[in-house]
């Protein structure tokens, strides 16, 4: 069988680690970001805000963020190396791994599973153990998608997050809010069996996005956000923080694999890692720009990965990028659906209580067959690209509500289990009434409010 030029380029980059042309970089992105094979697996990531102590009063002073040392102590062998450099970073019994976000939010990243029911069971068990570990040090999780009470404060002092904060600060207030004061429910599905299947699944996940965003929006309040009523302040923050990084020009793409690969190279750099993992030489161990200003991992303003690859940054950076640099750059892209070998859906708010199982079952059902995928695309077509409307108005917009109800009804009809269908049908009725998600009971997790309200 003849080997295509694209696969030759990918193979060369993988084995040599070198990127000697834009064509090689684009081919590599297409190969690693869109793994081809029969869709079989599903995964999820759950995020929670965290608070320290057993406070009863409301307000930010009553809900301090936990110390990183306390988090590391509570998590023990499950702690990520970002807060415990010598940790073995063991997976929890259900296969989930723990990470910490810049503002102290805690995240469970599941193992991939063959069905959504098994995924939900394993995640639920791991989440229960996580809560027990944290509570041993008086740390509690809060199932809120946006922090209604506390000012944004970055706890992780890693060079990556310092560079992110510096870059986003030049754009507006949303970068630090996103980093420190938001939480999401993310669902990941296989990319597809072949290029046509990948294109259909990619198109569907973007097409249904505004309606799904609205159906599960539950973050109307985010402290520090500019004035305005929004159903999802969390998604508002993501959409506003950096257009070049969060809103790929999908309408211009005939092929998502080619389009994504080209777009990724033209997104401005967020970080340029130092080879030794440090901030680099300069004042107090930090890299400076020649005027005494600490730049750390921050790239030259506006420079793209393509610029770096072409040699345009040789004077500033002092080296050309390799495969590891490109892999890292790909993790700094934040579109509503990110290609990471699989397709990572990032537009759903953290859900109250254990109701995060509902969007998992919905997306599993809507991706269950090519026929259902095609039907979902047709239903969602009227809302194509209406991200800001969905984040602002949510289910209060009658057209958005109608599409959301129709999509959820399609999901219920194609659910993999009776229990999943029952959960989705309840969500259909909730959406039909125009209500946002709520915890099933006051005892579920820490409720849907902000940290102060739950303390």
């Amino acid at each position: 069988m003849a080997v295509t030029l694209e696969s030759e380029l990918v193979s060369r980059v993988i084995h040599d680690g070198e990127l000697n042309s834009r064509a090689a970089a684009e081919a590599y992105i297409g190969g690693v970001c869109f793994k081809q094979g029969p869709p079989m697996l599903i995964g999820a990531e759950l995020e929670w805000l965290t608070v320290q102590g057993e406070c009863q009063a409301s307000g930010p002073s009553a809900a301090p963020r936990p110390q990183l040392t306390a988090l590391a102590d509570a998590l023990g062998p499950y702690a990520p190396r970002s807060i415990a450099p010598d940790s073995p970073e063991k997976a929890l019994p259900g296969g989930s791994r723990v990470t910490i976000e810049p503002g102290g939010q805690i995240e469970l990243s599941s193992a991939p599973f063959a069905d959504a029911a098994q995924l939900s069971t394993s995640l639920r068990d791991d989440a229960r153990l996580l809560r027990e570990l944290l509570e041993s040090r008086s740390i509690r999780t809060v199932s809120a998608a946006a922090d209604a009470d506390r000012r944004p404060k970055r706890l992780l002092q890693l060079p990556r997050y310092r560079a992110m904060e510096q870059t986003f600060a030049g754009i507006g207030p949303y970068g630090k809010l996103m980093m420190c004061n938001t939480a999401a429910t993310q669902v990941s599905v296989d990319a597809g069996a072949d290029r046509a299947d990948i294109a259909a699944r990619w198109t569907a996940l973007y097409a249904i996005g505004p309606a799904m965003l609205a159906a599960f929006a539950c973050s109307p309040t985010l402290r520090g956000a500019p004035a305005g009523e929004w159903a999802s302040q969390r998604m508002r923050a993501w959409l506003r923080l950096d257009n070049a990084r969060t809103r790929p020009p999908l309408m211009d793409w005939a092929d998502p694999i080619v389009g994504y690969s080209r777009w990724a190279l033209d997104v401005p750099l967020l970080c340029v890692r130092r080879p030794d993992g440090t901030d680099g030489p300069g004042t107090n161990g930090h890299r400076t720009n020649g005027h005494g200003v600490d730049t750390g991992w921050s790239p030259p303003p506006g420079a793209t990965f393509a610029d770096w690859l072409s040699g345009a940054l040789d004077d500033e950076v002092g080296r050309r990028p390799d495969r590891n640099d490109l892999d890292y750059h790909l993790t700094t892209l934040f579109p509503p659906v990110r290609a990471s070998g699989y397709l990572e859906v990032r537009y759903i708010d953290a859900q109250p209580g254990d109701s995060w199982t509902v969007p998992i079952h919905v997306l599993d059902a809507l991706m269950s067959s090519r026929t259902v995928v095609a039907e979902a695309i047709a239903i969602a077509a009227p809302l194509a690209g209406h991200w800001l409307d969905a984040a602002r108005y949510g289910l209060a917009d009658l057209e958005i509500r109608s599409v959301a109800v129709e999509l959820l009804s399609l999901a219920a009809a194609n659910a993999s289990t009776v229990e999943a269908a029952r959960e989705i049908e309840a969500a259909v009725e909730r959406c039909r009434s125009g209500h946002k998600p709520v915890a099933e009971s006051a005892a579920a997790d820490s409720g849907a409010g902000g940290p102060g309200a739950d303390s």
Side-chain angles (χ1 to χ4, degrees):
M1 180 182 296
V3 179
T4 66
L5 174 61
E6 180 180 88
S7 60
E8 286 182 346
L9 288 168
V10 173
S11 178
R12 190 178 309 151
V13 171
I14 289 175
H15 286 93
D16 299 341
E18 296 181 355
L19 299 171
N20 53 18
S21 70
R22 178 170 181 132
E26 288 182 6
Y28 176 74
I29 294 170
V32 301
C33 288
F34 296 90
K35 300 289 188 183
Q36 296 187 29
M40 299 174 60
L41 301 175
I42 185 169
E45 296 179 7
L46 308 178
E47 296 175 349
W48 295 272
L49 305 179
T50 57
V51 298
Q52 179 77 54
E54 300 296 337
C55 309
Q56 298 300 319
S58 62
S61 62
R65 300 171 196 267
Q67 296 291 319
L68 295 182
T69 52
L71 282 168
D73 189 32
L75 295 171
Y78 308 112
R81 293 196 182 108
S82 61
I83 62 171
D86 297 326
S87 172
E89 290 189 316
K90 291 178 60 177
L92 293 169
S96 305
R97 294 191 177 276
V98 181
T99 54
I100 304 297
E101 296 297 305
Q105 309 97 309
I106 200 159
E107 177 182 86
L108 277 187
S109 298
S110 79
F113 287 91
D115 64 77
Q118 186 181 8
L119 166 65
S120 297
T121 297
S122 296
L123 262 178
R124 190 179 292 111
D125 290 344
D126 281 351
R128 185 180 302 113
L129 175 57
L130 176 65
R131 286 195 294 271
E132 292 172 358
L133 291 170
L134 295 175
E135 287 170 0
S136 72
R137 298 298 183 274
S138 298
I139 301 170
R140 294 183 301 108
T141 58
V142 179
S143 56
D147 197 320
D149 297 308
R150 299 178 297 189
R151 297 182 178 88
K153 178 182 179 181
R154 180 165 58 87
L155 303 185
L156 288 180
Q157 299 302 315
L158 303 180
R160 170 187 174 96
Y161 297 123
R162 188 157 48 241
M164 287 177 66
E165 183 174 339
Q166 182 171 325
T167 297
F168 291 144
I171 300 173
Y174 295 103
K176 193 168 185 179
L177 288 169
M178 173 277 291
M179 292 169 63
C180 303
N181 279 31
T182 65
T185 296
Q186 299 178 14
V187 182
S188 297
V189 296
D190 283 332
D194 51 39
R195 292 185 81 99
D197 195 28
I198 288 172
R201 291 165 69 84
W202 173 268
T203 299
L205 290 174
Y206 266 98
I208 69 175
M212 292 298 96
L213 160 59
F216 296 104
C218 56
S219 54
T221 307
L222 173 60
R223 179 166 181 169
E229 295 185 7
W230 290 69
S232 176
Q233 292 280 5
R234 182 197 71 87
M235 197 61 186
R236 177 195 190 187
W238 279 101
L239 293 170
R240 296 289 200 195
L241 69 91
D242 182 353
N243 285 356
R245 193 173 310 280
T246 64
R247 300 195 213 176
L250 300 177
M251 300 304 293
D252 299 335
W253 295 356
D255 180 337
I257 298 177
V258 173
Y260 193 90
S261 301
R262 292 175 178 171
W263 170 72
L265 294 180
D266 291 327
V267 172
L269 290 164
L270 193 57
C271 306
V272 173
R273 297 183 303 159
R274 310 303 298 175
D276 58 3
T278 68
D279 286 337
T283 305
N284 296 323
H286 297 271
R287 184 160 56 93
T288 66
N289 65 359
H291 301 285
V293 177
D294 178 17
T295 59
W297 283 19
S298 295
T304 67
F305 196 93
D307 293 331
W308 190 11
L309 184 64
S310 72
L313 306 185
D314 283 356
D315 290 341
E316 294 90 339
V317 179
R319 65 180 180 88
R320 299 287 176 89
D322 60 17
R323 175 174 58 85
N324 293 327
D325 292 308
L326 181 51
D327 289 340
Y328 197 84
H329 174 65
L330 294 172
T331 70
T332 69
L333 308 180
F334 306 128
V337 180
R338 184 164 66 186
S340 302
Y342 45 85
L343 304 181
E344 181 182 287
V345 176
R346 303 169 57 84
Y347 45 66
I348 297 174
D349 280 359
Q351 298 296 284
D354 286 339
S355 63
W356 46 263
T357 57
V358 182
I360 289 176
H361 289 308
V362 167
L363 289 169
D364 178 57
L366 293 179
M367 295 292 107
S368 60
S369 74
R370 295 192 182 198
T371 300
V372 176
V373 165
E375 190 171 350
I377 292 172
I379 292 171
L383 297 184
H386 287 223
W387 294 101
L388 287 173
D389 288 340
R392 183 190 295 271
Y393 304 114
L395 296 173
D397 182 295
L398 295 182
E399 183 180 17
I400 293 174
R401 186 192 306 185
S402 176
V403 172
V405 167
E406 195 170 354
L407 283 172
L408 290 177
S409 298
L410 176 64
N414 290 276
S416 58
T417 66
V418 172
E419 178 58 33
R422 187 178 299 117
E423 288 188 23
I424 299 172
E425 287 164 357
V428 170
E429 294 308 310
R430 172 182 61 75
C431 288
R432 185 174 282 121
S433 299
H435 296 148
K436 67 180 182 180
V438 294
E440 291 184 2
S441 69
D445 194 56
S446 299
D454 294 323
S455 298

